[in-house]
Amino acid sequence: KQEVTQIPAALSVPEGENLVLNCSFTDSAIYNLQWFRQDPGKGLTSLLLIQSSQREQTSGRLNASLDKSSGRSTLYIAASQPGDSATYLCAVRANQAGTALIFGKGTTLSVSS
Amino acid sequence: KAGVTQTPRYLIKTRGQQVTLSCSPISGHRSVSWYQQTPGQGLQFLFEYFSETQRNKGNFPGRFSGRQFSNSRSEMNVSTLELGDSALYLCASSLKEGDEKLFFGSGTQLSVL
């Protein structure tokens, strides 16, 4: 059974710092991996999606990497800003059929000005 | 273009009652998925509908059910509510079955007293 773990559960950094969020999964047979952002009381917004054949994806100050063989992904946030404060969730999809995602419990990030 | 709309936004019920939650996908989207989010278990997949048919189901008891209408709107029903059913219920829509781009609504916060 696939399990997704995110460490740390919470992180506080000062504005401007570069940071890395970690995600690990137990079964390397994934179809893709996504990073989402969730603001308090809100739904999820997709940040980056990495296909199983890819090693990384970039969008602005965000860079996500994927190492399928070791079952790990990282989300790198450069030059953090207070507006980056949110919960970041990692999710894996097992196969192409259907959209069922298996989520980690998230890392809650707080960026202070 | 309107996003995914979930109603109601908040709901308070008592144990033993039943509840129906509604989700209107983005116009043109035909696939709808439901997730339950709790502090203890995180986000867990409930079920997915496409063309009025349930395509995939998560590991939840039969008290949780859903359906999709011809206009792609979806409802989920929870019967005989338990305290542990208190959660944020999120709906996500996508253009077609298996589509990687999911768009989430803001959710329905259900409290069971």
Side-chain angles (χ1 to χ4, degrees), chain B residues 66-103:
Chain B
R67 59 177 175 168
Q68 186 180 34
F69 302 94
S70 58
N71 62 357
S72 296
R73 190 177 72 85
S74 177
E75 289 181 348
M76 67 162 283
N77 184 278
V78 188
S79 62
T80 319
L81 284 166
E82 300 177 0
L83 296 179
D85 297 333
S86 295
L88 179 66
Y89 290 87
L90 291 165
C91 162
S93 78
S94 60
L95 205 53
K96 59 186 187 301
E97 185 182 16
D99 198 331
E100 293 164 345
K101 286 195 73 66
L102 293 179
F103 295 83

